[in-house]
Amino acid sequence: MTGPQPQSEAIDVLARTLYGEARGEPAEGREAIACLVMNRVRKARGRKGGYWWGNTVAEVCRKPWQFSCWNADDPNREALLKATARNKVFAVCLRIARDAIEGRLSDPTGGATHYHARGITPPWARRRSPKIVIGDHLFYVDVE
């Protein structure tokens, strides 16, 4: 189990994840992904020994093959690493990340721990129905 994570690191990593995964989405779409990350962190903390995604915001966001923007070969990776608060969209991602980590966001996903973009169907999503669709993303609550 990992120790506590500095809040500034958690905010930065979550904001970069939101920027990499959903910078083209409206704020509601980015908030939904922030809540999904927090749902994964809560699920891990509620389980003895944690959960395979990781136990902190940074671990959950950077877990290989979970948020494609962090994959070494993803074209979004360079953009998310270079983003600064001078970028208006990234500034919104920072605000959303701070609100999520401080518990100030209502979860529009209903507890979702999985999502994917419209137009792709990962193997885990087959024969499942999304709980909600927000923007171009489908969110699921029934995936283990």
Side-chain angles (χ1 to χ4, degrees):
M1 180 93 109
T2 336
Q5 176 184 19
Q7 188 176 21
S8 60
E9 179 191 10
I11 291 168
D12 183 71
V13 171
L14 180 54
R16 290 181 191 286
T17 303
L18 302 177
Y19 187 76
E21 293 286 311
R23 68 180 167 271
E25 293 289 308
E28 181 188 23
R30 286 178 254 159
E31 289 173 357
I33 293 174
C35 290
L36 179 139
V37 169
M38 300 311 294
N39 291 339
R40 286 184 175 191
V41 171
R42 271 190 290 284
K43 188 168 188 170
R45 289 181 181 159
R47 250 179 120 122
K48 186 176 180 173
Y51 205 76
W52 67 272
W53 298 304
N55 297 302
T56 67
V57 169
E59 288 176 356
V60 166
C61 289
R62 291 178 175 154
K63 179 74 176 180
W65 310 110
Q66 294 303 299
F67 295 94
S68 62
C69 64
W70 288 104
N71 295 344
D73 61 348
D74 191 279
N76 286 314
R77 187 174 168 95
E78 186 174 339
L80 76 90
L81 293 175
K82 288 183 176 181
T84 69
R86 289 187 303 266
N87 176 306
K88 289 179 183 179
V89 174
F90 185 65
V92 172
C93 292
L94 284 165
R95 179 197 52 81
I96 292 169
R98 191 174 300 106
D99 287 348
I101 287 166
E102 293 177 1
R104 291 192 305 255
L105 285 183
S106 296
D107 183 1
T109 73
T113 56
H114 287 70
Y115 83 108
H116 64 83
R118 199 186 299 260
I120 31 178
T121 305
W124 59 260
R126 293 186 188 125
R127 294 183 291 282
R128 287 191 167 91
S129 297
K131 169 90 174 181
I132 191 166
V133 177
I134 300 173
D136 283 330
H137 294 120
L138 291 74
F139 293 85
Y140 298 80
V141 297
D142 63 343
V143 183
E144 280 297 317

